Amino acid sequence: MTSPDHSQLLETIAQLSRDVESLSAELSETNAGVVALYSELDDRAEQLKHASDLKSRFLSYMSHEFRTPLGAINSLCRLLLDRVDGPLTAEQETQVRLMRDSSQELTAMVDDLLDLAKVEAGRVSISPEWFDMVDLFSALRGMFRPILNGSAVDLVFEEPRNVPDHLYTDHKKLSQILRNFISNALKFTTQGQVRVTAEYSGGDNVTFAVTDTGIGISAEDQATLFNDFVQLDSPIQKRLRGSGLGLSLSKKLAELLGGCVTVSSEPGVGSVFAVTIPLRMTGAQASETPQHFPPNWKPSVDGR
Ligand SMILES: Nc1ncnc2c1ncn2[C@@H]1O[C@H](COP(=O)(O)OP(=O)(O)OP(=O)(O)O)[C@@H](O)[C@H]1O
Ligand SMILES: [Mg+2]
């Protein structure tokens, strides 16, 4: 015979076992729910990736298709301006120049879109090589000379400070970043100076900075500047067009070079746009490793 205590105990155990069973059923239901959620998340991630691939593909096809007709318009404008097919009146010349400027602006935008699409699709190849700092600055100086003709703004390239004569990186991408910083600085500065500097910035890094005495940017706007298609409201902006892609592309290119971009600015005083990159790209940043060392290259003290 079972004692009352004993049967009570059995009853409690039976109750507990029912509780465990119902808990376990609940848990397996929750588990099934979590699994379903995970698979839904996977689906969403897949859809997002697909959408992003489609966007990149659309941008690159579109940009590619635009290049040919734009190239034709540019060439035809050049022929007309060179008077290959006879003289132009002053008014016709103004009109053809306007056509040429608009088509060049569109070409620059198409190029930026194509570059962005390539970066987003992971299809930009970085080709680091040794190059001379002096050559980089003199090429940039030459590029901007025609734009500066008669301008009230000076473009000054300072002697690099504490930077080796030769750097090992993709100088075309670096030059593309600096070109956009300088052209922005010249666009948004009506008088004063645009100063380009290169300075050792600790570790194995060099910082290139473009400082202007232009309209400046509020702290709030600085936060969004590096996003695609951002253009701030200003009287200058209304006069000059552009696509708002230059800074976002510059940021992505700097990251591909193993570096970053920064901005500091004060409205009415001016802005400093800077890019910091390694003096020498390493194997992790580029698939290629340095093959040739320049004759005057000395390794840094810690042997890196
Ligand atoms: N040095 C600067 N001073 C003041 N505002 C600037 C400066 N540089 C950039 N900006 C602001 O940031 C915006 C984005 O610059 P970004 O280079 O991305 O585009 P953009 O120059 O307008 O067009 P794009 O470079 O594509 O031709 C500019 O439109 C301008 O409003
Ligand atoms: Mg720009």
Side-chain angles (χ1 to χ4, degrees), residues 64-297:
H64 186 75
E65 292 306 317
F66 269 52
R67 277 184 182 209
T68 318
L70 282 171
I73 297 174
N74 281 333
S75 312
L76 287 171
C77 289
R78 206 175 39 244
L79 285 179
L80 288 169
L81 289 170
D82 288 347
R83 314 291 198 270
V84 173
D85 288 318
L88 293 181
T89 65
E91 186 52 31
Q92 283 170 333
E93 170 154 0
T94 313
Q95 288 163 354
V96 177
R97 279 189 195 285
L98 278 175
M99 272 165 57
R100 184 202 53 191
D101 292 351
S102 302
S103 111
Q104 282 176 349
E105 213 176 274
L106 211 54
T107 309
M109 182 177 180
V110 163
D111 286 346
D112 281 355
L113 274 174
L114 195 56
D115 282 348
L116 263 180
K118 276 200 207 152
V119 171
E120 278 172 16
R123 276 194 280 122
V124 167
S125 58
I126 296 293
S127 318
E129 53 186 327
W130 288 106
F131 70 94
D132 196 329
M133 289 283 287
V134 174
D135 292 345
L136 174 74
F137 275 13
S138 66
L140 286 169
R141 197 181 290 119
M143 228 174 273
F144 285 98
R145 192 170 295 132
I147 299 170
L148 286 166
N149 241 342
S151 150
V153 181
D154 278 337
L155 176 61
V156 181
F157 287 84
E158 273 186 19
E159 190 70 25
R161 278 189 294 255
N162 290 331
V163 184
D165 294 341
H166 293 82
L167 303 188
Y168 184 79
T169 189
D170 187 325
H171 65 97
K172 290 191 188 129
K173 305 280 184 301
L174 173 61
S175 170
Q176 200 173 343
I177 299 170
L178 292 175
R179 266 197 328 261
N180 185 52
F181 286 176
I182 299 171
S183 76
N184 283 350
L186 292 172
K187 234 191 295 190
F188 298 102
T189 306
T190 44
Q191 57 184 4
Q193 203 177 56
V194 171
R195 187 166 279 271
V196 186
T197 55
E199 203 171 345
Y200 173 70
S201 52
D204 252 350
N205 297 317
V206 53
T207 296
F208 293 85
V210 177
T211 307
D212 67 53
T213 54
I215 57 172
I217 305 153
S218 71
E220 191 189 328
D221 286 336
Q222 286 171 37
T224 59
L225 269 190
F226 292 97
N227 297 340
D228 293 357
F229 299 109
V230 169
Q231 294 191 295
L232 308 175
D233 209 15
S234 77
I236 294 188
Q237 191 74 73
K238 289 198 179 73
R239 261 192 301 115
L240 298 163
R241 295 210 301 271
S243 54
L245 289 172
L247 286 178
S248 102
L249 185 59
S250 302
K251 177 172 183 261
K252 291 182 176 120
L253 289 177
E255 284 162 4
L256 288 174
L257 297 182
C260 62
V261 288
T262 53
V263 59
S264 67
S265 182
E266 204 180 314
V269 178
S271 313
V272 185
F273 281 84
V275 51
T276 299
I277 52 163
L279 291 164
R280 282 186 282 166
M281 276 190 93
T282 60
Q285 290 145 356
S287 48
E288 217 181 303
T289 43
Q291 299 294 321
H292 319 284
F293 286 80
N296 59 351
W297 169 260

